[in-house]
Amino acid sequence: MVELAAAVLIATGTLFFIAGTVGLLRFPDIFCRLHALTKADGLGLALIALGAALLAGTPGAVFRIVLIWFFVATASATCGHLVARYARQSGAGGGAP
Amino acid sequence: MTDPLMIFDLLLALAIVALAVASLSVRDLFSMIVLFIIFGLLSALAWVRLSAPDVALAEAAIGTGVTGALLLKTLHHLRYVSGTLGQQTALGVTPVAPVPMGIILANAGFCGLITLGLLVAFLGAPATGPGFDALVAEAMPQSGVEHPVTGVLLNFRAYDTLMEVVVLLAAVIAVWQIERGLSDAPAPVMGEVWQGFARLALPAIVVVGTYLLWVGAEAPGGAFQGGAVLAAVGLLLLLTRAYIPQPAHRGVARGAFVLGTAAFALVAILVAGGGRVAFEYPLEHAKTLILLIEGVVTLSIAVTLAALFHGREPVALSEGGRHDT
Amino acid sequence: MTTFLSLTLIALLLSILAGLVRIFRGPEPAERMLAAQLFGTAAVAILLVLSQLMAMPALLDVAMVFALLAAITLVAFVVLASRGVR
Amino acid sequence: MTPDLIYGLTGIAVFGIGLVGALCAQDRLRRVLALKLCSVGAGFLLVVGAWREPPATPDPVPHALVITGIVVMVSATAVALALIRRLQTLEATDER
């Protein structure tokens, strides 16, 4: 039962990653791509981490997975903000004011 | 039924070779560096697939992280100095007297021959040679640590690791001779989001670095990987100019550079006192000695890598000097 | 279960390779760095699955360092690139 | 087609590409990067030599060598890039 739940979680996580890549390729300007990217890989990784945590038995592994997810979530949010600010300052991405 | 993991290996191998070709052939220098960073990322995954997590840690932290940041800094310096900062693409600077095409093709041909020779040698070699794993496994109980790679690095081949720390010391001495001067670049406006993240993440990274150092005794990790992670904190502080190196701090920096080598050599020599050869740790103290050396070497590596990234000796130049990034 | 995890591994790696197109085509440097950021996170996901598949809990530390690597290179890019813009 | 054969061929290919790049690239940064590719290719061959069939653990000695190689390579790259930055500064001041 747990394996089935983990499999479903990991599958949906992978779908989010694929959506993130499609968003990266198809969206017109940098801000849409940024939006697609940080959402998709943030949530995608969260689901995969949850699936992996279900499969991993020892509490040590589960704690490390949660730590990794938390660090990646905050880091990708901050970096998304930094790139957006840099893109706006350098006048890129469709000349948004 | 082909094992799907083999398909993953084939895909990864093709991606690594394609990225290697792409990063050397793309014209824009910035794309070259980004492709190199992704090449390093995928090659670290390849190390993991070859069940070498220690090498993957070292490749990710040092081989791609510090090297990638160094390359970005050098590219920025090229555009800052040549005044083409606004320009989006910085193309490769072709030298004054370009090498004629004939010589380049000849070189490429010879390299092809060398690679062919390597290929023949690799395919002809016996599948699994004897190797050292039996010897190491048998000697592990006397090494004082459980993880074989750390045992090899810090005990059986400790002399080689000492020389490696000396190489790092020599590199930072060379870099401080090459480049001098204070950088007057303005502090980048990082914004509150970054300050909040930095206040949360930097201490966490220091904890992860120390954890990597400690776990090295029984699992992949150790002095170099831990030192590289701590150096990453130094890089972030230097980049966001939270810490600007001052001439007064040079004494402390020099002490930290030499600390790793000095402690390693001192322990090696002192241990040789009681009728033992150098580097032959007494069995009951082996683990504590190894961890003592690893701790000091980690600190020294972190400061050295950060200084290598900063790239210049922070001393005020008399004749006006070069002030840039 | 293992074949299912291997298939997700292949899907994640394909998502990285598909994203490489953005690196070649991306007009501005910021987009190239974004793609590198996505690949860093995808590599962390691959490692989480691999640590299950190869039964090596040590891969979680490798995943942690991967996450750190992606953050370092991106901050280096943003700081160095924005210094020249103003 | 075990992993060690696949990654052994990758290592040789990456080493060959790095060698061609190191000798034939005109641009300084590209040559430094090509040398780093050579060192990764060589590392591949070492770790492939250490690989054993899954139940057995791989040979730790080549892993230690490759870790040492990575650290030495980053020191060499740092010195090379410092020299390149110095050259760039001198060339820029000559032009002005």
Side-chain angles (χ1 to χ4, degrees), chain B residues 177-205:
Chain B
Q177 300 309 318
I178 295 167
E179 196 76 42
R180 272 207 182 75
L182 296 172
S183 61
D184 62 349
V189 174
M190 296 302 286
E192 307 73 24
V193 176
W194 167 259
Q195 307 299 354
F197 173 72
R199 215 170 299 119
L200 182 74
L202 294 190
I205 297 174

Side-chain angles (χ1 to χ4, degrees), chain A residues 77-97:
Chain A
T78 314
C79 292
H81 159 76
L82 288 176
V83 172
R85 201 157 55 90
Y86 163 72
R88 199 162 53 80
Q89 270 165 2
S90 70

Side-chain angles (χ1 to χ4, degrees), chain A residues 3 7 10 14 17 21 24-25 30 33-34 37 41 45 48-49 52 55-56 61 64-65 68 71-72 76 79 83 86 92, chain C residues 1 4-5 8 11-12 15 18-19 22 28 30-31 34 37-38 42 45 52 57 60-61 63-64 67 74 77 81 85:
Chain A
E3 293 218 343
I10 290 180
T14 315
F17 266 104
T21 309
L24 188 70
L25 293 180
I30 184 164
R33 290 182 197 136
L34 188 66
L37 184 112
D41 73 44
L45 190 76
I48 289 182
L55 291 174
R64 273 187 286 177
I65 289 177
I68 289 169
F71 179 78
V72 172
S76 82
C79 292
V83 172
Y86 163 72
Chain C
M1 191 55 193
F4 169 74
L5 287 182
T8 49
L12 283 169
S15 87
R22 172 54 52 208
E28 288 107 15
E31 274 141 3
L34 264 190
Q37 173 80 8
L38 172 66
Q52 220 45 58
L60 299 177
D61 303 337
M64 189 62 179
L74 192 112
F77 159 71
V85 167

Side-chain angles (χ1 to χ4, degrees), chain B residues 149-201:
Chain B
V149 174
T150 313
V152 166
L153 267 177
L154 266 302
N155 195 330
F156 306 141
R157 289 178 53 83
Y159 193 72
D160 177 49
T161 311
L162 170 63
M163 283 307 125
E164 183 188 339
V165 179
V166 167
V167 163
L168 267 170
L169 179 61
V172 84
I173 292 173
V175 166
W176 273 28
Q177 300 309 318
I178 295 167
E179 196 76 42
R180 272 207 182 75
L182 296 172
S183 61
D184 62 349
V189 174
M190 296 302 286
E192 307 73 24
V193 176
W194 167 259
Q195 307 299 354
F197 173 72
R199 215 170 299 119
L200 182 74

Side-chain angles (χ1 to χ4, degrees), chain B residues 6 9-10 12-13 16-17 21 23-24 26-27 29 32 36 39 46-47 49-52 54-55 59 62-63 67 70-71 74 77-78 81 93 95 99 104 107-108 111 114-115 118-119 122 129-133 136 148 152-153 157 160 164 168 171 178-179 225 308 311 322, chain D residues 1 3-10 12-21 23-24 26-27 29-30 33-34 36-37 40 43-45 47-48 51-52 57-61 63-68 70-72 74-75 77-79 81-86 88-89 92 96:
Chain B
M6 194 190 71
D9 287 335
L10 278 173
L12 191 58
I16 287 174
V17 174
V21 173
S23 69
L24 285 184
V26 72
R27 281 189 54 74
L29 283 182
M32 174 183 83
F36 168 73
F39 168 82
W47 299 134
R49 276 297 299 144
L50 284 166
S51 51
D54 298 78
V55 184
E59 178 72 37
I62 304 171
T67 311
L70 266 169
L71 284 167
T74 308
H77 180 272
L78 167 68
V81 159
V93 178
V99 176
I104 290 182
N107 276 345
C111 298
I114 294 172
T115 321
L118 260 175
L119 188 63
F122 175 70
F132 298 100
D133 40 4
V136 169
V152 166
L153 267 177
R157 289 178 53 83
D160 177 49
E164 183 188 339
L168 267 170
I178 295 167
E179 196 76 42
Q225 293 85 349
L308 284 177
R322 304 166 297 281
Chain D
M1 285 296 273
D4 63 341
L5 183 62
I6 296 172
Y7 291 113
L9 298 176
T10 323
I12 292 174
V14 168
F15 183 81
I17 294 161
L19 206 60
V20 169
L23 292 180
C24 305
Q26 303 281 356
D27 178 54
L29 273 183
R30 217 173 285 270
L33 203 124
K36 168 69 179 168
L37 292 186
V40 170
F44 263 112
L45 285 176
V47 173
V48 157
W51 189 79
R52 298 286 182 270
T57 56
D59 178 356
V61 174
H63 291 189
L65 293 180
V66 175
I67 292 172
T68 311
I70 288 173
V71 173
V72 166
V74 86
S75 327
T77 313
V79 173
L81 291 179
L83 283 170
I84 288 177
R85 284 197 298 267
R86 185 87 180 94
Q88 289 160 359
T89 316
R96 263 196 288 279

Side-chain angles (χ1 to χ4, degrees), chain A residues 28-79:
Chain A
D29 75 14
I30 184 164
F31 299 105
C32 302
R33 290 182 197 136
L34 188 66
H35 172 71
L37 184 112
T38 37
K39 299 303 171 298
D41 73 44
L43 195 55
L45 190 76
L47 289 172
I48 289 182
L50 203 57
L54 280 180
L55 291 174
T58 61
V62 170
F63 174 72
R64 273 187 286 177
I65 289 177
V66 168
L67 192 68
I68 289 169
W69 166 72
F70 184 73
F71 179 78
V72 172
T74 42
S76 82
T78 314
C79 292

